[in-house]
Amino acid sequence: MPVVIARRRLAAVVTGLTVALVPPSVALTAAAGTPASGPPLPRAAAPALVAAAPLTVSQAIGSQDGQSATVRGYVVGQPTGTSTVVRSGFPNDYALAIADSASETSTSRMLYVQVPSAFRSSWGLQSNPSLMGRQLDVTGALSAYFSHPGMTSTTAFAFSGSSTSTSPTSTTSPTSATSTTAPAPTGTTSPYDSTYYASAIGKTGSALHTELHRIISSGATTLTYDQVWTALKDTDQDPNNPNDVIEVYSGRSIAKSDNGGGVDQWNREHVWAKSHGDFGTVNGPGTDVHHLRPEDVTVNSTRGNLDFDNGGSAVAQCTGCRSDGDSFEPRDAVKGDVARMIFYMAVRWDGGDGFADLEPDNLVGNGTAPYIGRISVLKAWNLQDPPDAFEKRRNQVIYDTWQHNRNPFIDHPEWVTAIYGS
Ligand SMILES: [Ca+2]
Ligand SMILES: [Ca+2]
């Protein structure tokens, strides 16, 4: 499987499609935030698409004229209704949703693709759930499906970059275009893939975990708990007010200077609760700003050391948050942020350094065990809330200025699945 990924990336570079694989948001982040001393950016700065390039999903959505076209996009789920796309538990093999980003969650940026009966055993999601995240080229008529921008009477399916594809006029089985090995997730690219992450690219499972642990631990600076105050005023600055920080769960903007232990002040929230592994606030996991965030003192106290899960009753001073006796649910806008902080901590802290080996599990009520749950919910949150500009800037600032290490799951959210499964 690693070899397949490496070849696919190489093929993309050779054919000049590297730029097309970089999501615009990633490119913008790199342009705005890469330090002069940092790793070089990819050289390809201008798109060099060949004339016969397939349409993007965005273009296909804007060209619902019934004409036949080939469209390239990532499989992001199965449409089951006009505004419903499921990502697991696929009911049948009848349809795919594709998008320009593998982490797309908005159905308005998806194209619904009909899978005719002859193609269902090879290209339907119930029979082939590992198609999720794969980039495909599909050919058919650009017309509504499920009362939504779509493709009907689809005549060809192929993995993007595949040397063989099913001809629109072919009557042979589409399996001839399919690799016999299990499809590997493709996902996003990062400006750091050829430098910081080079030795991790192509790995999966425990090998990826081990290599990312090595990468993000090597040369990382460990802050003191007092330095964390200063770091958070930088990493979590309100983009609309340089005098404020944004509280992670409540979303409130509050003066940087209003920090401390008083009611309605902000303090240092450990997203990986420090009792889960009992690491306290000595230099180490307890001072790792990748999971430390400003939060209102009262809300921080309500969260306490609860595991993360959906459900419960509303939390005072924290719109969209819920809590019950054994778990806490943050507002939707930071659900993915929380998940990626937890997965970062699990990979960064692996024992052997005087601290516990932190890992997520599928429980709540973990108490003081070095575990945080519920992993099935955290995985869903990672998909539901992809990395946004605030989270990406934060990762860059920590890398540039404070700890000189990155959260790999912000750069590559699909690595959550690559390590912990779907
Ligand atoms: Ca978010
Ligand atoms: Ca660990």
Side-chain angles (χ1 to χ4, degrees):
M1 196 177 300
V3 173
V4 173
I5 294 175
R7 283 181 184 156
R8 291 178 56 79
R9 284 181 188 283
L10 181 60
V13 171
V14 167
T15 55
L17 290 172
T18 306
V19 169
L21 297 173
V22 179
S25 56
V26 171
L28 285 173
T29 301
T34 302
S37 60
L41 290 170
R43 290 291 170 220
L49 298 175
V50 293
L55 298 182
T56 65
V57 168
S58 172
Q59 288 169 332
I61 290 170
S63 313
Q64 293 285 297
D65 55 8
Q67 298 295 306
S68 181
T70 297
V71 181
R72 175 167 291 178
Y74 294 96
V75 178
V76 294
Q78 176 177 357
T80 57
T82 301
S83 56
T84 311
V85 169
V86 298
R87 297 171 165 278
S88 59
F90 305 110
N92 52 53
D93 291 324
Y94 296 174
L96 301 174
I98 63 171
D100 289 324
S101 162
S103 56
E104 185 59 69
T105 57
S106 171
T107 56
S108 67
R109 289 189 286 274
M110 296 177 187
L111 188 75
Y112 292 0
V113 179
Q114 182 181 28
V115 183
S117 56
F119 297 95
R120 287 176 190 155
S121 63
S122 296
W123 301 98
L125 274 168
Q126 185 182 54
S127 299
N128 307 277
S130 58
L131 285 171
M132 284 292 287
R134 295 300 306 270
Q135 193 182 38
L136 304 185
D137 291 353
V138 293
T139 304
L142 295 177
S143 63
Y145 190 42
F146 285 96
S147 304
H148 181 282
M151 171 178 286
T152 57
S153 304
T154 315
T155 54
F157 292 80
F159 291 117
S160 303
S162 166
S163 58
T164 57
S165 68
T166 311
S167 160
T169 56
S170 170
T171 55
T172 60
S173 163
T175 51
S176 61
T178 315
S179 165
T180 53
T181 56
T186 49
T188 53
T189 59
S190 154
Y192 293 91
D193 286 354
S194 60
T195 52
Y196 190 72
Y197 294 126
S199 58
I201 298 297
K203 292 187 166 66
T204 61
S206 60
L208 180 58
H209 182 141
T210 300
E211 189 57 25
L212 289 177
H213 169 76
R214 193 192 64 74
I215 291 169
I216 67 180
S217 304
S218 300
T221 297
T222 306
L223 305 180
T224 67
Y225 200 44
D226 196 49
Q227 286 176 304
V228 168
W229 285 124
T230 314
L232 292 183
K233 291 173 184 178
D234 185 11
T235 58
D236 289 70
Q237 178 174 299
D238 182 345
N240 298 313
N241 183 346
N243 298 317
D244 282 14
V245 291
I246 301 285
E247 295 172 345
V248 60
Y249 304 134
S250 57
R252 186 175 62 145
S253 181
I254 182 171
K256 290 178 177 177
S257 58
D258 198 7
N259 60 311
V263 171
D264 290 335
Q265 287 192 305
W266 67 271
N267 63 3
R268 296 162 289 188
E269 156 68 356
H270 291 78
V271 174
W272 187 294
K274 56 185 183 289
S275 62
H276 291 234
D278 194 29
F279 47 74
T281 57
V282 299
N283 298 11
T287 65
D288 188 333
V289 288
H290 274 295
H291 84 118
L292 286 162
R293 303 293 285 262
E295 186 48 73
D296 173 82
V297 166
T298 308
V299 175
N300 192 338
S301 171
T302 302
R303 191 273 157 130
N305 66 352
L306 295 173
D307 291 87
F308 293 104
D309 196 2
N310 291 314
S313 44
V315 174
Q317 299 179 55
C318 195
T319 305
C321 307
R322 298 191 168 275
S323 171
D324 60 18
D326 58 23
S327 68
F328 184 86
E329 175 185 347
R331 64 192 168 109
D332 287 349
V334 295
K335 281 184 164 72
D337 311 48
V338 165
R340 288 180 284 275
M341 287 188 271
I342 294 298
F343 289 115
Y344 163 87
M345 290 295 281
V347 169
R348 171 66 181 89
W349 301 99
D350 272 351
D353 51 14
F355 298 103
D357 178 4
L358 308 181
E359 283 300 318
D361 67 8
N362 211 33
L363 303 177
V364 291
N366 271 304
T368 59
Y371 309 127
I372 289 257
R374 186 184 296 272
I375 188 173
S376 56
V377 171
L378 294 166
K379 288 181 198 172
W381 289 355
N382 175 51
L383 296 174
Q384 173 185 335
D385 173 35
D388 58 28
F390 186 92
E391 189 181 358
K392 290 177 182 176
R393 175 193 171 274
R394 185 173 203 282
N395 195 25
Q396 193 67 40
V397 170
I398 294 171
Y399 178 68
D400 289 344
T401 307
W402 296 98
Q403 294 184 177
H404 312 295
N405 69 345
R406 303 185 68 82
N407 180 335
F409 302 107
I410 296 173
D411 293 318
H412 283 282
E414 78 281 6
W415 279 349
V416 171
T417 309
I419 294 176
Y420 290 101
S422 54

